């Protein structure tokens, strides 16, 4: 069962001319993906990569649901603290729940660090009805630690010292790390973050699924969607992540297209953009290699960056995500519409969005700019799980093609160390 379609035709020479990939070039690029595909299969067989074994697991979801229910019962507000991969997966899933999710608790992801914003939150929060989920695989990330310390101090200042153990929950690696030590000192519960699971690959673990369950999402379906894509990779050499990796790496290496504009045309898919940016940038931006990911959003960015995309340097490849059935939203009745907007008469908002999506694709093709299209029939947990797994496996295969390690982030770690050194020496 497939929960999305990837259409690469608009990246091919027979559609956009010499800017596109010929059959021969695509064949060569596909051949280059096969060692990455084999790498994934070997690590599935050995069980070494939790990313590949999580989708088929179900037994852990029962206890995770229990924890989510407890948090829901005791909270008006849930704050998820964490940086990068410890936050973006959950945020991406939140977009699925956003519109239906008016009931308690409200979930906020405090990913960025800003003293002013933080103080504003503190002014409005009812701490005795708030639960704080602090996520840090390493347990050593300064921004997350700073937030945790500030909240602990706020609880103490509010005379809520005795509430702390029940109102904090930590997700961090086993073993010796400062976040774990702090959790023990506070008497707060800890869920283990699998040390073999990288932050940006962790959305199908408790990192993404605990917030998802609190928001009322179906964690099983998220994993089922992910499993469908993994199965494709395990069973077929001509799988969708490999096809995507072939086009992107070939566009970058052979055609010098080192920018990938990632542009969903649906608010429920919009948070995939920042998540994908981090996934692709941290995984592939190494040794002078990688494609620069740019998150855009349709149709709003048609009134912003589109001018550059269509008429600026022809050095990009576009990843467009379309909701295939956007026929929702208000319908505009004929008598309300004046002559200039006659084309809107009787149309729904969704129909206009759909028209803009496919018109943009045609325009890109007309400007000989390669675009790949992802079409989703229904935006739900199944398709979201499938899309996220697609992009993670595609990125791993690209890492293998580009000969970079898609799992480390040496420059990020260097940045963390430099900040600590700066404060120590100031
Ligand atoms: O994807 C990654 O590995 C990073 O973005 C990390 O998630 C981020 O730096 C936070 O690290 P940690 O979870 O150790 O606090």
């Amino acid at each position: 069962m497939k929960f999305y379609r990837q259409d690469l035709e608009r990246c091919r020479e027979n559609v956009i001319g010499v800017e596109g990939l010929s059959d021969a070039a695509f064949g060569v690029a596909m051949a280059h993906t096969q060692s990455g595909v084999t790498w994934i299969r070997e690590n599935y067989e050995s069980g070494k990569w939790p990313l590949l074994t999580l989708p088929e697991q179900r037994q852990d979801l029962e206890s995770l649901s229990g924890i989510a229910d407890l948090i829901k019962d005791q909270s008006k507000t849930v704050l998820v603290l964490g940086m990068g991969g410890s936050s973006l997966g959950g945020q991406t899933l939140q977009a699925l729940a956003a519109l239906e999710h008016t009931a308690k608790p409200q979930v906020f992801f405090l990913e960025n660090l800003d003293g002013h914003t933080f103080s504003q939150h503190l002014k409005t929060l009812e701490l005795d009805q708030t639960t704080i989920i602090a996520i840090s695989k390493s347990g050593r990330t300064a921004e997350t630690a700073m937030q945790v310390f500030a909240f602990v101090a706020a609880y103490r200042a509010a005379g809520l010292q005795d509430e702390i153990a029940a109102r904090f929950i930590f997700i961090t690696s086993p073993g010796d790390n400062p976040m774990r030590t702090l959790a023990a000192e506070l008497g707060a519960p800890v869920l283990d973050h699998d040390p073999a699971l990288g932050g940006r690959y962790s959305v199908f673990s408790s990192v993404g699924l605990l917030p998802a369950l609190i928001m009322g999402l179906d964690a099983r379906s998220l994993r089922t969607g992910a499993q469908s894509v993994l199965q494709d990779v395990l069973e077929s050499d001509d799988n969708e992540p490999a096809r995507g990796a072939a086009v992107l790496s070939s566009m970058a290496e052979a055609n010098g297209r080192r920018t990938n504009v990632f542009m969903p045309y649906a608010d429920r898919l919009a948070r995939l953009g920042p998540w994908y940016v981090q996934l692709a940038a941290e995984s592939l931006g190494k040794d002078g290699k990688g494609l620069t990911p740019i998150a855009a959003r349709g149709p709003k960015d048609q009134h912003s960056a589109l001018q550059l995309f269509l008429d600026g340097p022809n050095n990009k490849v576009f990843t467009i995500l379309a909701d295939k059935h956007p026929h929702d939203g208000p319908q505009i009745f004929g008598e309300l519409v004046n002559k200039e907007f006659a084309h809107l008469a009787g149309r729904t908002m969704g129909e206009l969005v759909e028209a803009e999506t496919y018109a943009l694709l045609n325009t890109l093709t007309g400007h000989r700019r390669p675009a790949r299209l992802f079409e989703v029939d229904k935006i739900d947990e199944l398709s979201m799980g499938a899309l996220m797994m697609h992009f993670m496996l595609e990125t791993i295969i690209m890492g293998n093609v580009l000969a970079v390690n898609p799992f480390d982030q040496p420059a990020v770690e260097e940045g963390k160390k430099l900040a600590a050194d700066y404060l120590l020496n100031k």
Side-chain angles (χ1 to χ4, degrees), residues 82-87 135-141 144 179 193 198-201 278 282 407 409 412-413 416:
M83 301 302 295
S86 287
S87 179
I135 307 177
S136 174
K137 177 185 169 185
S138 64
R140 296 175 196 281
T141 297
T144 313
M179 202 69 91
H193 190 306
R200 56 192 175 276
Y201 297 98
Q278 192 237 357
E282 270 193 6
F407 297 112
Q409 56 282 328
V412 177
E413 301 308 330
K416 290 181 187 178

Side-chain angles (χ1 to χ4, degrees), residues 49-293:
W49 291 355
L51 165 68
L52 307 180
T53 50
L54 278 169
E56 64 199 20
Q57 276 179 42
R58 292 291 177 271
Q59 70 281 10
D60 61 322
L61 293 181
E62 211 170 301
S63 62
L64 210 55
S65 297
I67 297 168
D69 288 343
L70 283 176
I71 293 174
K72 277 156 80 170
D73 284 347
Q74 69 167 24
S75 320
K76 256 189 183 169
T77 307
V78 174
L79 301 179
V80 184
L81 314 183
M83 301 302 295
S86 287
S87 179
L88 286 160
Q91 290 185 49
T92 305
L93 301 180
Q94 187 177 35
L96 267 188
L99 296 180
E100 287 110 61
H101 187 63
T102 46
K104 78 158 200 158
Q106 284 199 294
V107 180
F108 297 99
F109 290 81
L110 304 195
E111 188 197 359
N112 206 8
L113 190 71
D114 180 305
H116 180 264
T117 312
F118 194 89
S119 304
Q120 294 300 110
H121 274 300
L122 272 185
K123 274 188 210 155
T124 52
L125 278 174
E126 296 171 74
L127 290 176
D128 60 344
Q129 299 193 54
T130 298
T131 300
I132 292 174
I133 305 174
I135 307 177
S136 174
K137 177 185 169 185
S138 64
R140 296 175 196 281
T141 297
E143 294 92 336
T144 313
M146 180 65 110
Q147 291 179 329
V148 172
F149 289 133
F151 274 121
V152 171
Y155 272 84
R156 287 185 178 154
L160 295 169
Q161 165 78 32
D162 295 344
E163 297 258 334
I164 289 179
R167 300 227 156 253
F168 281 71
I169 178 165
F170 290 79
I171 302 178
T172 190
S173 292
D176 179 25
N177 83 54
M179 202 69 91
R180 210 161 177 113
T181 307
L182 177 66
E185 284 165 8
L186 298 174
V190 181
L191 302 178
D192 282 338
H193 190 306
D194 192 324
L197 187 62
R200 56 192 175 276
Y201 297 98
S202 67
V203 62
F204 299 122
S205 74
S206 58
V207 171
L209 296 191
L210 180 58
L213 286 163
I214 294 169
M215 294 183 287
L217 294 175
D218 178 355
R220 284 169 180 267
S221 294
L222 284 161
R223 284 191 178 168
T224 301
Q227 180 67 25
S228 69
V229 180
L230 175 61
Q231 216 54 45
D232 185 25
V233 174
L234 297 178
E235 286 168 5
S236 160
D237 290 346
D238 189 27
N239 59 75
E240 293 304 331
R243 286 161 51 77
V247 165
L248 289 185
S249 49
S250 178
M251 282 284 169
E253 296 292 281
N255 297 17
R257 293 179 182 277
R258 297 186 184 280
T259 302
N260 179 15
V261 177
F262 190 96
M263 193 165 176
Y265 272 74
D267 283 348
R268 283 161 298 156
L269 298 177
R271 293 295 311 179
L272 272 172
W275 172 82
Y276 177 78
V277 165
Q278 192 237 357
L279 173 71
E282 270 193 6
S283 302
L284 303 175
K286 288 158 201 174
D287 304 334
K289 298 178 185 161
L291 280 82
T292 302

